[in-house]
Amino acid sequence: MSVLPPEVHSALSLLLQGLQSPDNSIRARAEEQLTNEWIVAQADILLMGLVEQIQGAPEAASRSFAAVLFRRVATKTRKIPGSDESKDLFTSLSHPHKEAIRQKLLDCLQNEALPHVRHKVGDAVAELARQFSDEGQSWTELLQALFLASQSQDAGHRESAFRIFATTPAIIEKQHEDNVVPAFTKGFKDSDIAVKTAAMEAFSSFFGSLQKKAQKKYYALVPELLNILPPLKEAGDADGLMKAFIALIELVEEAPTMFKPLFPNLVQFSITVIQDKDLGDTVRQNALELMGTFADYSPAMCKKDSSFTSDMVTQCLSLMTDVGMDDDDAAEWNSTDDLEAEESDMNHVAGEQCMDRLANKLGGQAVLPPTFNWLPQMMISNSWRDRHAALMAISAISEGCRELMENELDKVLDLVVPALRFPHPRVRWAGCNALGQMSTDFAGTMQEKYHQVVLTNIIPVLDSPEPRIQSHAAAALVNFCEEAEKSILEPYLDELLSHLMRLLRSPKRYVQEQALSTIATIADSAETAFGKYYSHLMPLLFGVLREEQSKEYRLLRAKAMECATLIALAVGKERMGQDAIELVQVLGAIQEKITDADDPQSSYLLHCWGRMCRVLRSDFVPYLAGVMPPLLDLAGAKADIQLLDDDEQIRSVQNEEGWELVPLKGKVIGIKTSTLEEKHMAIELIVIYAQQLEAAFAPYVLDIMENVSLPGLAFFFHDPVRIASAKSVPVLLNAYKRANGERSPAMARLWESTADKVIEVLSAEPSVDTLAEMYQCFYESLEVLGKDCLTPAHMQAFIQSAKSTLEDYQLRVRKREEDQQEIEEGEDEPDDTAFAIEDDQQLLSDMNKSFHTIFKNQETSFLPAWSKLLPFYNAFITSNDSTQRQWALCIMDDVLEFCGDQSWSYQNHIQKPLIDGVRDAVPANRQAACYGVGIAAQKGGAAWSTFVSESLPALFAACQVPNARDDDHVFATENACASIAKIMQSPYTRIPNEQDVISHWIGTLPVVNDEEAAPYAYMYLAKLIDESNPAVIAAVNPAFIAIALALEAETLQGQTAQRAVAAAKRLVQMAHIDANQMLATLSPETQQTLRSYFSGSN
């Protein structure tokens, strides 16, 4: 029964007709009427009217459209009168209206007979359920109705119930979980295929909404879940299988080990699906994706399965041969100029991507044997597709199998290089691809050991008759050359550049563009060696840049700009002469003619200006007025964000490049990422200008700081923008300081407006890795400002931010510990956990540098604020986590170093942790503690004398740990040596049996790695020699050799080195020993290095 009068329904029917009209103008008027006359004026009547249309309209199409429109309108955002709060339109209605509407809608769901209409009504019901759930309210009647519907005799009703559960799993409240297992079990066993797959989708969604601990009680459902699969395959139901695999993939992402008991069965079933060509490519790729997801989330389980890796490699390689099936001679492939043709849905691409995942997740030991069981025979096959697949497999696995493959590159290259001469062009293309990928994945080794093999074989490919091969060979050279040293490339430059210059005359524009990119890369790597070719290339590039060309040549000219400016950077301002100014003028002329927003020359130009600034330095200043306005426009761009209300809007944005769609509370937010990427790039270029021009850039600093950099610190739509903004702040401060002076009023005003924002963001930044960048921004800014740049209020605010950061860190650590307990025996720690730990370690490191810089600048004035964090230091310094202990030790070192005798006030927090740290098994902690003891002796004053004297046995023990001179331990050992020297030189220490201690200490030398520790050790040794100390006279040979080794290692420099040499000469004279005889005990290379120091000594 309708609660609205007939005239309302008449008006609403006309509105619905207008909204569905094929006439754009009628539809536009109807949309306007919908907004102004209904949504704004009478939203409650509109939603009730739509529900009654769903309930009573005789035409299925009308009911369906009313349901779609209801969902769209219900999700619109509406501001609550008299407040700043916004809510979904349905949620904003009065309670009686909401109750009436949702009950009527539920009746519609139960009474609708047609499946496709019922699905639309179900979507509307699910949307209301989501809104109630988000508001923390329950809809008991819905839950009861859905459980009843899942038991209905009507398969359509059972399916609808599970579809709604899938969309809004949060409606299943904790108290109803006991009903879940029976409902899903029955759904998995349903006689109707559509119900089974809907139940799978619902279970996947529900399972993903649970906490990890709550998920385990549903593991028992897996057998029934997997039993759905075989009948789907036997029936050839590709659509059903596709839905089932997608649901399984989501479950594997949540809890891969729940499938452990039946994993071998699931692997074999999936393999049969991948092999079954009758099922269609999409389903086969879904099955492949399921197995790839297992590799991603549970590599240990996959490696334990006896057939997983070999079966998967075989299927991937088989899919990879499914290439060019309608183009056997590659005529179509050769003729196309569209090199970016969409192939992501092709079998061969799916196979390549899965091979890459298997290699990265399972590693070389698992993947290489089955892969190379196939590759040698595929590389000699008569089928070009087999050879192509084998080469692409090498490209796919080289990154993940790097460690093992690097030792076998000779054999791999023996397989790959002959492909460059194979008759079929796609095999040659794949050969170029493999060499290019290997040049990146085995960077360094490929260039140093195999440059002759690679370059002498790929350079001739540039002369191939097929343009696509020419282009790809040139692209592979980019990979090789960008990782090559100048000395490696120099012998090949003539041949490389003569071939590439011929490609510049190719009739194919994409070949010319690639040739320019490759020349640019070679110039970047060859540096000054490229000067020889400057006079041949630069005139050609000037010709391209000056020539008026149509739109299709814009990218070519952009590549020419890139190439010219990279050459300029390689050869330098002096070699360019007047050409440098001329190039800048040409770039300016091009910029003035750019009118289209999509002109690729715009973004290329920005980078070109940055390079020319680096070339010209101060001579670039006159051109800033032309360069900066477009750069500042991009850097100051606001986020382009759209709320997408309906599926049509979503599809429209999806079809546009440069957008990211983010689901949020039942809606979809569209973010134009291309704008954000341009903003990020522009801020990075600003950093270059400020770094290169310093004081000359000062006129732009205030505007940029106010409108770009400081707002950018809180630009939460795009992490890279925040990071670039953080990097810009200290550079801009430095530029302004150079122009105005460190203590100028102008500098003080800029810092006053900057400091608060930089400190504020330390407690607001949500991303851990970006937060580390914010701390770096902070301490680098302090380094620019120098002594006493922080007020007490600044220091208090910093401590509050640091406290917030440390509390969040502790929560993350606890969460990781809880998650660790959930990992089953034999399972790998998830990759994201390892990355999260790395991010936290970097964060603590950058926090440490912040504390260090504050103490260095503020000294004891920081202690009142700093002491508020003592509970954190005390907790961290006794933690089982070595990273936390190191963090606390380093800060205690700063207190000792910069607060002098006032550090004694904190001796109860410092003494025991330092001694424990000297004995710490972790070298980095031992190093920090040893340094701290030494700095206490050097800077702490008389109060610390007893403590440091009593620390000597522990320091000597630190020098004698097993493998004390290994790379991991040597810095800790050398810091212990230097700290003993500091203690021995302290005016406050009284050392009994001093000569025994000195004799023992000489045995802790040399210091040949730590450039900071070396001067303290060797200046003490020089002092002992000058005093003719008996312990040194008794150890002439080790003392002399210790000095010699430090000189060779260059840990002694300048006056310190001269002082040590003079002492060494005095030592051998006192002992009447020939220095050359002692040098003769060293290696010939070391002797040669030291002759200049000791020639003539005896």
Side-chain angles (χ1 to χ4, degrees), residues 91 245 347 509 538 610 638 755 878 941 1015:
T91 308
F245 277 127
N347 282 340
R509 194 168 62 255
M538 197 56 88
K638 307 299 181 189
T878 56

Side-chain angles (χ1 to χ4, degrees), residues 429-655:
W429 185 95
C432 293
N433 196 78
L435 283 182
Q437 192 62 51
M438 290 168 67
S439 297
T440 297
D441 293 336
F442 305 108
T445 305
M446 281 284 282
Q447 286 76 7
E448 290 165 19
K449 290 188 178 180
Y450 300 103
H451 55 86
Q452 186 172 11
V453 174
V454 174
L455 292 176
T456 57
N457 282 286
I458 203 166
I459 288 173
V461 183
L462 296 170
D463 291 333
S464 295
E466 304 90 355
R468 287 195 73 167
I469 308 299
Q470 295 172 341
S471 174
H472 209 51
L477 282 167
V478 168
N479 292 35
F480 184 89
C481 294
E482 66 187 359
E483 302 291 348
E485 296 293 330
K486 168 185 167 182
S487 58
I488 288 173
L489 286 183
E490 204 162 353
Y492 301 97
L493 288 178
D494 284 350
E495 200 174 356
L496 272 169
L497 291 167
S498 63
H499 280 76
L500 289 166
M501 287 174 72
R502 283 201 291 274
L503 293 188
L504 292 177
R505 297 191 289 273
S506 168
K508 293 289 187 180
R509 194 168 62 255
Y510 67 80
V511 175
Q512 297 173 6
E513 291 165 0
Q514 182 59 63
L516 286 170
S517 291
T518 306
I519 292 169
T521 302
I522 292 170
D524 195 34
S525 295
E527 298 173 337
T528 53
F530 201 86
K532 174 182 173 184
Y533 309 95
Y534 178 85
S535 57
H536 298 289
L537 269 166
M538 197 56 88
L540 288 174
L541 296 172
F542 270 119
V544 174
L545 295 177
R546 289 195 178 107
E547 189 176 340
E548 289 291 335
Q549 292 174 331
S550 53
K551 278 189 176 183
E552 62 266 25
Y553 287 93
R554 294 186 307 192
L555 182 58
L556 179 67
R557 187 150 61 168
K559 297 275 187 182
M561 288 190 283
E562 176 185 56
C563 188
T565 51
L566 279 168
I567 290 173
L569 207 53
V571 303
K573 181 170 69 172
E574 288 72 24
R575 175 66 182 85
M576 287 192 78
Q578 186 58 32
D579 282 354
I581 301 300
E582 195 172 337
L583 179 54
V584 169
Q585 291 170 346
V586 169
L587 295 176
I590 292 171
Q591 179 168 290
E592 288 177 4
K593 293 178 181 176
I594 292 176
T595 56
D596 296 339
D598 64 345
D599 192 332
Q601 293 175 112
S602 296
S603 59
Y604 275 80
L605 255 174
L606 292 173
H607 289 288
C608 290
W609 288 129
R611 292 186 200 107
M612 292 312 296
C613 177
R614 290 162 64 191
V615 171
L616 293 174
R617 304 294 293 269
S618 60
D619 290 342
F620 188 76
V621 173
Y623 303 100
L624 278 177
V627 170
M628 291 303 295
L631 186 65
L632 292 175
D633 284 345
L634 287 177
K638 307 299 181 189
D640 188 349
I641 299 172
Q642 293 185 17
L643 178 63
L644 308 176
D645 282 329
D646 56 45
D647 295 341
E648 188 176 334
Q649 285 181 306
I650 293 169
R651 281 192 296 272
S652 174
V653 170
Q654 279 177 326
N655 292 331

Side-chain angles (χ1 to χ4, degrees), residues 271 274-275 284 288 307-322 347 351-352 354-355 358 366-375 377-378 386 389 393:
I271 295 296
I274 299 168
Q275 291 172 324
R284 297 172 67 200
L288 188 76
S307 64
F308 178 88
T309 309
S310 59
D311 284 351
M312 281 297 293
V313 165
T314 300
Q315 294 312 311
C316 286
L317 290 171
S318 175
L319 288 170
M320 289 164 69
T321 63
D322 190 0
N347 282 340
E352 290 163 21
C354 193
M355 283 290 283
L358 293 175
V367 171
L368 283 178
T371 303
F372 277 86
N373 277 344
W374 287 103
L375 293 197
Q377 64 197 71
M378 292 176 76
D386 288 348

Side-chain angles (χ1 to χ4, degrees), residues 837-1060:
I837 292 170
E838 283 180 23
D839 287 344
D840 272 329
Q841 289 173 340
Q842 184 62 52
L843 173 61
L844 291 179
S845 173
D846 284 310
M847 287 186 77
N848 259 340
K849 290 172 185 173
S850 297
F851 281 103
H852 174 82
T853 310
I854 299 175
F855 271 121
K856 184 172 72 173
N857 284 353
Q858 303 295 141
E859 298 179 343
T860 56
S861 69
F862 183 45
L863 286 173
W866 170 82
S867 62
K868 293 181 178 179
L869 293 185
L870 276 171
F872 290 98
Y873 309 136
N874 294 337
F876 278 39
I877 214 158
T878 56
S879 169
N880 292 327
D881 183 343
S882 63
T883 301
Q884 294 184 33
R885 296 198 302 277
Q886 183 186 12
W887 180 85
L889 283 167
C890 287
I891 292 178
M892 295 307 181
D893 289 353
D894 290 329
V895 174
L896 290 164
E897 183 167 1
F898 298 111
C899 298
D901 56 9
Q902 288 194 37
S903 62
W904 182 250
S905 303
Y906 302 95
Q907 52 95 10
N908 290 333
H909 301 278
I910 296 177
Q911 286 190 357
K912 186 176 185 304
L914 274 190
I915 287 299
D916 290 344
V918 170
R919 301 185 180 112
D920 200 307
V922 177
N925 294 357
R926 203 160 61 246
Q927 177 184 345
C930 289
Y931 177 83
V933 174
I935 213 71
Q938 187 184 10
K939 301 283 184 71
W944 286 97
S945 59
T946 301
F947 167 74
V948 298
S949 299
E950 292 174 352
S951 301
L952 284 170
L955 290 170
F956 278 115
C959 296
Q960 296 169 337
V961 298
N963 308 312
R965 294 284 169 184
D966 285 1
D967 288 347
D968 288 343
H969 296 269
V970 70
F971 281 89
T973 303
E974 292 184 352
N975 267 270
C977 169
S979 290
I980 294 169
K982 291 174 185 175
I983 294 169
M984 299 300 287
Q985 292 181 89
S986 169
Y988 305 109
T989 52
R990 298 289 178 267
I991 309 295
N993 61 338
E994 184 178 23
Q995 289 302 306
D996 289 343
V997 173
I998 293 170
S999 297
H1000 195 177
W1001 174 76
I1002 292 169
T1004 67
L1005 294 167
V1007 178
V1008 292
N1009 291 276
D1010 194 321
E1011 294 177 3
E1012 292 184 16
Y1016 295 107
Y1018 286 100
M1019 288 306 91
Y1020 178 52
L1021 181 59
K1023 176 176 177 287
L1024 294 173
I1025 293 169
D1026 289 347
E1027 295 170 349
S1028 301
N1029 186 284
V1032 179
I1033 302 301
V1036 172
N1037 195 59
F1040 180 87
I1041 295 299
I1043 293 172
L1045 292 173
L1047 291 168
E1048 184 207 17
E1050 298 182 348
T1051 52
L1052 295 177
Q1053 300 275 337
Q1055 292 183 350
T1056 308
Q1058 293 171 13
R1059 175 94 169 79

Side-chain angles (χ1 to χ4, degrees), residues 607-728:
H607 289 288
C608 290
W609 288 129
R611 292 186 200 107
M612 292 312 296
C613 177
R614 290 162 64 191
V615 171
L616 293 174
R617 304 294 293 269
S618 60
D619 290 342
F620 188 76
V621 173
Y623 303 100
L624 278 177
V627 170
M628 291 303 295
L631 186 65
L632 292 175
D633 284 345
L634 287 177
K638 307 299 181 189
D640 188 349
I641 299 172
Q642 293 185 17
L643 178 63
L644 308 176
D645 282 329
D646 56 45
D647 295 341
E648 188 176 334
Q649 285 181 306
I650 293 169
R651 281 192 296 272
S652 174
V653 170
Q654 279 177 326
N655 292 331
E656 287 186 48
E657 283 189 19
W659 283 85
E660 179 183 351
L661 301 184
V662 180
L664 181 68
K665 290 189 174 181
K667 302 179 179 64
V668 174
I669 307 293
I671 303 174
K672 193 168 186 180
T673 52
S674 56
T675 303
L676 307 185
E677 287 155 7
E678 289 169 351
K679 182 181 178 75
H680 167 232
M681 175 191 68
I683 299 172
E684 286 189 321
L685 288 167
I686 284 170
V687 172
I688 290 173
Y689 290 135
Q691 284 173 333
Q692 297 295 321
L693 302 177
E694 292 193 319
F697 195 70
Y700 298 95
V701 167
L702 295 179
D703 178 38
I704 293 171
M705 195 72 91
E706 181 182 354
N707 297 309
V708 176
S709 296
L710 295 180
L713 295 176
F715 193 84
F716 296 114
F717 302 106
H718 199 53
D719 290 2
V721 166
R722 299 202 302 286
I723 291 170
S725 299
K727 291 188 182 303
S728 73

Side-chain angles (χ1 to χ4, degrees), residues 723-786:
I723 291 170
S725 299
K727 291 188 182 303
S728 73
V729 169
V731 177
L732 292 169
L733 288 170
N734 181 63
Y736 206 67
K737 182 179 82 169
R738 298 287 183 188
N740 295 281
E742 184 175 313
R743 301 298 173 186
S744 67
M747 190 69 203
R749 286 192 297 273
L750 175 60
W751 176 235
E752 185 180 358
S753 62
T754 302
D756 290 338
K757 291 286 187 185
V758 172
I759 294 171
E760 180 186 319
V761 82
L762 298 179
S763 58
E765 173 55 53
S767 170
V768 174
D769 56 341
T770 308
L771 181 56
E773 298 281 352
M774 297 301 165
Y775 274 97
Q776 183 178 342
C777 166
F778 175 71
Y779 73 73
E780 287 182 353
S781 298
L782 298 188
E783 287 169 352
V784 172
L785 271 295

